[in-house]
Amino acid sequence: DHNPNDVESLGGLKSIATAAEDWQGLVGALTREAQLVEGGEKEDCARQIAVLWEERLGDRAVAIESWRRVLELSPGDQAALKRLVSLAEADSDWAGFIDDGKALVHYLEGAERSELLSKMGRASLQHLRREEEAIRFLDEASSGDAPSLQAAEDLEQIHAARGSWDRVVDCILRRAHAETGDEAVALFLRAARTRVEQLRDRKGAAVIYDAVLTIDQKNVQALEFKGDFLFQNNDLEGAVAVFEAIESLGIERDLDDFDEQMEQGLYCFRFGEALRRLSRTQDA
């Protein structure tokens, strides 16, 4: 009290408070110390105070103020921004979560960045009802080197509700490219069907079915579409090659089903007609 600038005495108070787990007393000593030092030492004191309020004293409101003090001393401090984002999320302060998230996301990379953007998009959509903002966050989260599959799924639902089917297909494809094996195939197939059924874009669907065949060369749905597409576009040799690949699979058909009878009748006609035009009369 007689000599407020006595750093040695402050050090003693800090040691005593730490040993006694008197966290309030330690905050007081650090606060006094912060008034005596400058630069990095002042920032370090502010950071210790914020940690104590958050982790030891459990007062999130004061912790938030303390972390903001750290940002005043060190603008762009990533640790402070991460704590503020986490505290805002815990308190369901979605406006604060997004404001601090916008500042933090510039410092993040890869999956960590995509995950935060995905959460920001969902918060904008579900809690703040700011759909356009949500679309921007989710679009960014589902793009790039480490796309968020959850963001792509959320974005797909928004565009489906709007009837924006070209964007729906794009979202499904983002998910497909991020997956492997059967999961990727299922998503590619759904994207192709959506492009045909909603957009009437068979050429675009053919490109997607080709992606399926790079993963599964024996995928019947993709082969059947490709054979039909090539036939209709007068690529007879390509169509015959695909039809022969289908034949080699030895697929068992339920020919008691009328729709299956019609499909097989049309398939056989196209196969035979393509062979006839190629002068393979006996095969035709």
Side-chain angles (χ1 to χ4, degrees):
D1 290 336
H2 288 293
N3 183 7
N5 297 332
D6 192 329
V7 177
E8 185 178 356
S9 295
L10 283 175
L13 286 174
K14 286 162 55 180
S15 297
I16 293 170
T18 301
E21 297 186 353
D22 175 11
W23 309 123
Q24 192 81 52
L26 182 55
V27 166
L30 285 166
T31 302
R32 294 174 69 174
E33 182 179 355
Q35 297 171 356
L36 305 179
V37 296
E38 296 295 335
E41 291 181 285
K42 183 182 286 289
E43 293 172 19
D44 186 56
C45 285
R47 191 172 285 103
Q48 289 183 61
I49 290 169
V51 169
L52 286 167
W53 278 114
E54 181 180 352
E55 298 181 1
R56 297 297 187 179
L57 295 169
D59 191 326
R60 290 208 293 250
V62 179
I64 289 170
E65 293 179 8
S66 300
W67 283 120
R68 295 215 178 279
R69 174 58 179 160
V70 174
L71 282 180
E72 289 175 9
L73 296 170
S74 178
D77 185 277
Q78 292 184 48
L81 285 170
K82 286 182 179 180
R83 296 316 308 155
L84 286 169
V85 166
S86 178
L87 288 166
E89 185 178 16
D91 285 344
S92 299
D93 175 13
W94 302 116
F97 173 74
I98 289 173
D99 286 343
D100 290 319
K102 287 178 181 178
L104 175 59
V105 77
H106 296 293
Y107 300 99
L108 303 180
E109 295 179 353
E112 189 177 13
R113 185 173 189 273
S114 297
E115 180 65 20
L116 177 57
L117 284 166
S118 178
K119 287 184 177 181
M120 290 164 64
R122 180 164 281 198
S124 293
L125 182 66
Q126 295 182 348
H127 301 291
L128 301 179
R129 301 293 187 266
R130 301 197 305 227
E131 193 169 272
E132 292 300 327
E133 180 182 67
I135 289 173
R136 290 196 299 274
F137 289 142
L138 294 171
D139 183 63
E140 195 171 354
S142 59
S143 306
D145 297 331
S148 165
L149 299 181
Q150 182 62 61
E153 187 173 344
D154 291 342
L155 192 59
E156 178 191 336
Q157 292 175 2
I158 294 174
H159 289 317
R162 292 181 165 194
S164 301
W165 296 108
D166 55 337
R167 295 186 177 183
V168 168
V169 171
D170 180 62
C171 291
I172 299 173
L173 289 176
R174 291 183 188 189
R175 295 170 60 196
H177 286 299
E179 293 282 12
T180 58
D182 293 342
E183 291 79 7
V185 168
L187 288 166
F188 277 125
L189 290 174
R190 188 155 71 85
R193 287 195 301 270
T194 303
R195 187 161 285 283
V196 171
E197 295 169 2
Q198 300 295 339
L199 298 171
R200 303 295 187 266
D201 180 10
R202 292 181 62 80
K203 185 176 181 180
V207 174
I208 300 174
Y209 278 120
D210 280 339
V212 172
L213 292 172
T214 61
I215 303 172
D216 179 8
Q217 296 179 353
K218 296 182 179 181
N219 187 276
V220 177
Q221 186 176 331
L223 286 170
E224 288 179 340
F225 183 92
K226 185 174 183 178
D228 181 33
F229 180 79
L230 292 173
F231 177 82
Q232 290 183 346
N233 285 273
N234 210 35
D235 183 351
L236 300 178
E237 291 184 356
V240 166
V242 174
F243 292 145
E244 289 175 339
I246 294 173
E247 284 292 296
S248 70
L249 297 177
I251 303 168
E252 293 186 8
R253 310 283 186 176
D254 180 12
L255 294 179
D256 291 331
D257 181 86
F258 177 76
D259 291 335
E260 187 66 30
Q261 291 178 23
M262 296 298 292
E263 285 293 326
Q264 285 306 296
L266 186 58
Y267 159 74
C268 290
F269 162 73
R270 288 172 176 161
F271 195 174
E273 180 64 10
L275 290 166
R276 185 189 68 80
R277 293 184 194 175
L278 292 171
S279 300
R280 293 173 55 180
T281 309
Q282 188 61 40
D283 291 334

